[in-house]
Amino acid sequence: MARSSYLFTSESVSEGHPDKVADRISDTVVDAFLGADPYARVACETMVTTQRIIIAGEVRGPGEVIAGLETKIRAAVKDIGYEQNGFHWATAHYECHLHAQSADIAMGVDAAGNKDEGAGDQGIMFGYATNETPELMPATLQYSHNILKVLAEARHSGKEKGLEPDAKSQVTLLYENGKPVRATSIVLSTQHKAGLTPADIADMVKPYILKVLPEGFVTAETEWHINPTGNFVIGGPDGDCGLTGRKIIVDTYGGAAPHGGGAFSGKDPTKVDRSAAYISRYLAKNVVAAGLSDKCTIQIGYAIGVSKPLSFYVDLHDTGKVDPAKLEKILPELVGGASPRAIREHLNLNRPIYARTAAYGHFGRAAEADGGFSWEKTDLVDALKGAF
């Protein structure tokens, strides 16, 4: 039996968090290759630390792309806002250790003869949607993302000159009858310029947080923890080493749904860790947007080199108005059987649209005119309604 009253918490991290800096760089590499060749293959990992940027991994694409990566990567770090002694976009030491993709992996993935393109790896991928927010995302995570996004906008615009790029947020909500009703605690840690106290930071950021949360969610009983360590001047890669793929729960559903374990950033769309997670979210979101359930979780399983999914599972969390077994038959048919090639073609993923996904979540974003966040469209709603 589902509990009617409980507390749930999710966290987010800003674009300046060390792990997100690494994700941004890895996805900048993906975009650089896909911009030169839509069928390039990329598996790029990044490490950032004090005055150092290191990229490594496997690629298949135009060789001249590698020569231009350093300029693009430094521009990405500059865009985030790092011009600090411990990590500066212009002076950080840069190393590139990219090399050719394994021929054994390429053989399994490439289409040949009667063999369709296979999955880039084995694994399980999940998608989730819930109607507790307009974005059809878990409220705790969506509000955590939104807090950091509005603070980043204030920092970039120059309105809040005391803020620096590294930040983390965390929101705990009370749920009654399965719906969020108020915030019991709000945590924000943000890097700042020297000389500011936690009280100064609290006065600065609270108005932005109050605008993000729905009216009435913050009460006199809400606990606030603003820069609870007392000082956060040293931050970013200078304060903590960052690696690609260490914020997979922030990237997805904030702990409200299962996760298959694979990271997204640094991977081209033949890697089902990324593309199948996107199609799973797309299908789950359309199920909820069509009013067929209040919540929906989808799992898809793959084997490396095999195009047909091994499994397709739908869970409506006892909120469904239709038979999930019927959805398990209908949903794959709507996206060409959910093969890796069909996913890429349906969502038009072979384009440089990934650097923008590296912070504030891959889901719960608006679909963009150039194809960015195409997995957030709800263009299957009519077909799903018609099927039932």
Side-chain angles (χ1 to χ4, degrees):
M1 180 183 297
R3 294 176 61 191
S4 62
S5 178
Y6 56 91
L7 298 177
F8 195 79
T9 304
S10 296
E11 72 156 348
S12 181
V13 298
S14 73
E15 65 198 86
H17 185 281
D19 295 331
K20 285 286 129 196
V21 175
D23 284 344
R24 172 74 174 270
I25 291 171
S26 291
D27 276 337
T28 296
V29 174
V30 173
D31 283 355
F33 274 94
L34 292 180
D37 176 3
Y39 299 101
R41 300 278 171 78
V42 184
C44 176
E45 309 295 340
T46 300
M47 183 180 82
V48 288
T49 186
T50 302
Q51 278 295 75
R52 190 170 293 271
I53 301 167
I54 302 170
I55 65 172
E58 302 77 47
V59 297
R60 188 177 77 183
E64 62 270 18
V65 173
I66 292 179
L69 285 178
E70 181 176 354
T71 299
K72 294 178 183 292
I73 287 170
R74 291 191 185 278
V77 175
K78 182 180 181 181
D79 184 62
I80 293 170
Y82 276 113
E83 295 185 338
Q84 301 168 2
N85 291 334
F87 193 70
H88 196 295
W89 66 270
T91 58
H93 179 71
Y94 168 79
E95 296 179 35
C96 176
H97 301 282
L98 296 174
H99 60 84
Q101 182 188 43
S102 160
D104 291 346
I105 293 176
M107 179 174 62
V109 176
D110 290 343
N114 293 325
K115 174 185 174 298
D116 193 8
E117 177 184 298
D121 202 351
Q122 72 175 46
I124 54 174
M125 294 80 204
F126 288 92
Y128 179 71
T130 172
N131 63 5
E132 62 191 57
T133 62
E135 298 87 356
L136 303 187
M137 288 288 288
T140 49
L141 180 65
Q142 194 65 45
Y143 300 149
S144 295
H145 284 328
N146 291 350
I147 287 169
L148 295 179
K149 285 167 70 176
V150 298
L151 290 174
E153 290 165 3
R155 175 175 61 84
H156 282 297
S157 70
K159 186 175 181 181
E160 300 298 349
K161 300 184 186 301
L163 297 179
E164 294 283 13
D166 194 359
K168 301 179 79 170
S169 63
Q170 187 168 285
V171 174
T172 301
L173 299 180
L174 171 66
Y175 282 71
E176 295 283 6
N177 298 317
K179 298 295 182 182
V181 294
R182 67 179 178 88
T184 61
S185 68
I186 298 167
V187 182
L188 179 79
S189 295
T190 180
Q191 187 185 16
H192 58 85
K193 296 192 183 300
L196 295 175
T197 67
D200 295 330
I201 298 300
D203 290 341
M204 184 188 305
V205 303
K206 276 189 175 183
Y208 294 96
I209 296 172
L210 291 171
K211 288 181 180 178
V212 164
L213 294 173
E215 186 174 354
F217 265 52
V218 177
T219 70
E221 297 177 353
T222 302
E223 295 182 10
W224 291 83
H225 301 279
I226 307 296
N227 279 20
T229 62
N231 204 44
F232 191 0
V233 174
I234 301 171
D238 186 31
D240 192 10
C241 182
L243 296 171
T244 303
R246 284 205 300 194
K247 289 293 177 284
I248 58 176
I249 300 303
V250 170
D251 284 343
T252 52
Y253 306 105
H259 195 295
F264 301 159
S265 291
K267 298 175 182 177
D268 73 78
T270 66
K271 278 72 170 176
V272 284
D273 275 341
R274 180 165 224 159
S275 55
Y278 288 173
I279 204 74
S280 299
R281 159 65 178 175
Y282 171 70
L283 293 172
K285 184 176 183 181
N286 275 271
V287 167
V288 174
L292 304 184
S293 68
D294 294 340
K295 297 180 180 180
C296 178
T297 297
I298 291 175
Q299 185 211 56
I300 312 180
Y302 292 88
I304 188 169
V306 179
S307 62
K308 184 180 179 181
L310 305 181
S311 62
F312 192 100
Y313 169 73
V314 176
D315 182 2
L316 302 181
H317 302 273
D318 297 323
T319 68
K321 302 173 179 64
V322 297
D323 181 2
K326 186 174 181 182
L327 279 174
E328 289 169 355
K329 290 182 169 55
I330 292 171
L331 290 174
E333 294 172 358
L334 293 175
V335 291
S339 71
R341 183 199 296 271
I343 293 170
R344 289 191 298 101
E345 292 178 351
H346 188 92
L347 296 179
N348 205 359
L349 296 179
N350 286 93
R351 54 173 72 191
I353 55 173
Y354 297 106
R356 70 192 74 171
T357 69
Y360 312 118
H362 291 246
F363 309 127
R365 313 278 288 271
E368 297 177 349
D370 68 349
F373 301 101
S374 59
W375 48 92
E376 290 297 308
K377 295 186 294 184
T378 53
D379 53 353
L380 298 182
V381 165
D382 290 342
L384 285 170
K385 287 181 177 178
F388 289 94

